[in-house]
């Protein structure tokens, strides 16, 4: 028999599946403001998803028109939006790249398309990845944005296995809108905002409980110093 805690979790997941945008406005944002009044005194400081950027680098293979067309079709099926072809800004002879040469594809999602893609990503796509255990916290950058890579396009339900000739991945960046005051404008504050939002959105993060294993920050620093020392030792041996 299901307990009260699991029933609440199931209801939250169904609310996110139904309309993740409305759930953020009416459910997640008020709860964050109520539970953390010291961190979020102003409603505009609550973390919010600004846009999702999806990139694919094709390199010299972009000169093959058939491969480029297939990649564009895949982007349209997955995102529901036509991608922009990225071109080289200058010529690099060592890489056989000419100026204004086609090299990849990019799509920027906002609004309803962004939220529908995020719902599909969290609740359907990640479940198709073999031995998936979540993403690392180290994928956050200094601005508080989260970037991760996917190795193949077959994990998306819109892609037909028979139509794929070559496995090609994506780089996906979740850009957060952080309107933080000056006293909370450090990198750690931006990452903390992203963590809070991702926890409510059920985004899979695998090592969020890493710091619970240690009793103090000095112990964490000792562990990291030991890891750095081992890395330097390996580099010196190589």
């Amino acid at each position: 028999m299901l307990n009260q805690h699991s029933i609440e979790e199931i209801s939250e997941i169904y609310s996110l599946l139904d309309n993740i945008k409305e759930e953020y406005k009416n459910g997640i944002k008020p709860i964050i403001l109520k539970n953390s009044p010291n961190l979020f005194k102003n409603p505009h400081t609550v973390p919010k998803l600004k846009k999702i950027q999806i990139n694919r680098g094709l390199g010299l293979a972009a000169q093959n028109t058939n491969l480029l067309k297939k990649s564009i079709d895949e982007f349209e099926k997955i995102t529901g939006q036509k991608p922009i072809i990225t071109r080289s800004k200058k010529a690099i002879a060592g890489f056989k790249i000419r100026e204004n040469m086609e090299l990849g594809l990019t799509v920027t999602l906002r609004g309803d398309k962004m939220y529908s893609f995020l719902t599909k990503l969290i609740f359907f796509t990640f479940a198709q990845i073999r031995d998936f255990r979540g993403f690392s916290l180290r994928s956050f950058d200094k601005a508080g944005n989260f970037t991760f890579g996917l190795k193949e396009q077959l994990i998306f339900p819109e892609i037909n296995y028979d139509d794929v000739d070559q496995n090609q991945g994506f780089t996906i960046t979740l850009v957060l809108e952080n309107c933080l005051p000056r006293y909370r404008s450090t990198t750690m504050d931006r990452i903390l905002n992203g963590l809070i939002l991702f926890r409510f959105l059920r985004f899979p993060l695998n090592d969020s409980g890493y710091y619970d294993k240690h009793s103090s920050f000095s112990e964490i620093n000792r562990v990291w110093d030991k890891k750095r020392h081992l890395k330097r030792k390996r580099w010196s041996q190589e």
Side-chain angles (χ1 to χ4, degrees), residues 26-225:
N26 303 324
I28 295 172
K29 193 173 180 180
I31 290 171
I32 292 174
L33 287 169
K34 185 180 179 181
N35 293 346
S36 306
N38 296 327
L39 287 177
F40 306 105
K41 296 176 182 178
N42 191 327
H44 297 290
T45 59
V46 177
K48 182 184 177 182
L49 195 62
K50 186 179 180 182
K51 62 182 178 180
I52 297 177
Q53 194 158 2
I54 307 156
N55 302 310
R56 175 187 278 179
L58 297 172
L60 297 177
Q63 304 309 304
N64 186 342
T65 54
N66 292 328
L67 185 64
L68 187 63
K69 283 181 181 177
K70 279 190 176 181
S71 293
I72 291 171
D73 290 339
E74 285 177 0
F75 264 75
E76 287 179 352
K77 287 177 183 177
I78 291 168
T79 63
Q81 190 170 308
K82 191 173 182 180
I84 297 170
I85 299 172
T86 54
R87 301 175 182 272
S88 58
K89 293 182 179 179
K90 61 180 181 179
I92 304 172
F95 294 102
K96 298 180 181 179
I97 294 174
R98 300 186 303 274
E99 190 177 354
N100 204 30
M101 189 177 178
E102 297 170 346
L103 292 176
L105 300 171
T106 183
V107 164
T108 303
L109 301 176
R110 291 183 176 87
D112 293 335
K113 285 185 178 180
M114 174 186 70
Y115 285 107
S116 63
F117 179 79
L118 183 67
T119 305
K120 178 175 65 177
L121 203 63
I122 295 172
F123 295 105
F124 300 102
T125 305
F126 292 152
Q128 302 299 320
I129 301 174
R130 184 181 297 175
D131 298 330
F132 180 67
R133 296 180 182 178
F135 294 105
S136 174
L137 292 178
R138 298 176 196 177
S139 297
F140 280 103
D141 59 13
K142 290 181 180 180
N145 304 324
F146 192 83
T147 303
F148 61 94
L150 297 175
K151 291 183 178 179
E152 59 183 13
Q153 68 272 47
L154 291 170
I155 58 176
F156 288 95
E158 295 89 355
I159 302 299
N160 189 3
Y161 184 82
D162 297 329
D163 297 337
V164 176
D165 297 330
Q166 182 183 358
N167 285 340
Q168 291 177 326
F170 304 92
T171 302
I172 300 173
T173 303
L174 306 178
V175 181
L176 302 181
E177 189 174 351
N178 287 317
C179 301
L180 294 173
R182 286 187 178 181
Y183 63 88
R184 286 195 63 233
S185 59
T186 61
T187 302
M188 198 65 207
D189 289 320
R190 297 190 193 100
I191 293 173
L192 179 63
N193 274 13
L195 276 172
I196 292 168
L197 180 62
F198 284 178
R199 273 297 165 196
F200 277 100
L201 292 175
R202 302 275 174 179
F203 195 84
L205 298 172
N206 64 351
D207 51 2
S208 58
Y210 173 80
Y211 297 106
D212 295 337
K213 300 174 186 176
H214 307 284
S215 58
S216 63
F217 279 107
S218 59
E219 190 179 346
I220 294 168
N221 289 330
R222 283 198 298 273
V223 172
W224 281 108
D225 289 337

